[in-house]
Amino acid sequence: MYQLTPRLQFIHDHLISGEPVWDFCCDHGIVGLSAYKSGKFPEIYFVDQVSSIMEKLSRRFAEKFLRVEQNTQVQFLTLPGEEVKDVLKGTVVIAGVGGIAIHKIVKNLHEQGLLKATRLILGPQRDEQKLEEMLCQMLDSDYKICNVDYRIEERGRTRKLLIFNKK
């Protein structure tokens, strides 16, 4: 199976129950899978541009996680995050990629008017400070960053998480 690392557990604990979850750059899909398993979210979207990752994740989901009795809708989107054409509501999670990649995704979705999420949880692997500065300026009219400095120790490294809530 899988086990949530402290960082992924923190992310899971900050998803908004009863709202959709968007797991961008999902790789193994652990955040989305844990959200699905909990049964607390009406929709789960997995987004990654690597088709082999998405095929494997989709197969794994169908074999080990899909429950007929659960009403959660699940979608697997194989495309770059910045090319999503749906309106994003609920919680958007983008973690495990660089700050510049996260900025590109958020910027494009914001400029297209698709970013309507209640909460953004961002976990850059690098360029945390630069990402925070760029997003605070860009999202200022729509989102407020939580002023708490979320830092999680994981695998001998301190990882920063940024959380933005819709105003």
Side-chain angles (χ1 to χ4, degrees):
M1 209 48 109
Y2 66 89
Q3 182 161 347
L4 294 174
T5 64
R7 181 176 57 96
L8 295 181
Q9 183 66 58
F10 179 91
I11 291 170
H12 175 84
D13 292 346
H14 286 80
L15 300 174
I16 301 172
S17 185
E19 294 192 15
V21 173
W22 289 82
D23 187 356
F24 276 78
C25 307
C26 61
D27 196 19
H28 301 290
I30 294 173
V31 171
L33 291 173
S34 67
Y36 179 81
K37 262 183 81 174
S38 75
K40 297 178 182 179
F41 308 94
E43 303 164 25
I44 312 288
Y45 298 88
F46 296 92
V47 182
D48 202 298
Q49 65 184 353
V50 181
S51 60
S52 60
I53 286 173
M54 295 305 284
E55 289 166 9
K56 184 177 178 180
L57 178 58
S58 177
R59 252 190 336 270
R60 182 174 167 219
F61 174 79
E63 292 169 2
K64 297 183 179 181
F65 293 92
L66 181 62
R67 289 183 253 156
V68 176
E69 74 279 359
Q70 190 163 325
N71 290 327
T72 303
Q73 295 179 7
V74 176
Q75 288 191 35
F76 297 89
L77 305 173
T78 306
L79 69 161
E82 62 272 14
E83 293 181 13
V84 169
K85 298 297 179 204
D86 299 302
V87 173
L88 282 71
K89 295 182 180 180
T91 305
V92 171
V93 177
I94 311 174
V97 294
I100 302 305
I102 292 173
H103 179 262
K104 182 179 179 181
I105 293 168
V106 173
K107 180 177 186 271
N108 286 347
L109 295 171
H110 178 68
E111 288 176 352
Q112 293 176 53
L114 299 173
L115 193 57
K116 305 292 183 190
T118 307
R119 176 171 291 156
L120 309 175
I121 303 174
L122 311 174
Q125 287 187 337
R126 61 189 167 283
D127 302 315
E128 300 97 340
Q129 190 62 38
K130 186 174 184 178
L131 174 65
E132 184 174 348
E133 291 167 6
M134 291 187 298
L135 290 183
C136 283
Q137 184 177 32
M138 180 178 66
L139 299 175
D140 183 53
S141 62
D142 298 320
Y143 288 89
K144 180 177 184 199
I145 189 166
C146 294
N147 290 328
V148 177
D149 194 16
Y150 298 114
R151 294 183 185 272
I152 309 290
E153 280 292 323
E154 186 176 79
R155 297 183 191 133
R157 195 172 158 203
T158 301
R159 308 288 293 273
K160 184 172 184 171
L161 291 167
L162 305 171
I163 298 180
F164 289 82
N165 289 318
K166 191 137 184 85
K167 288 183 177 177

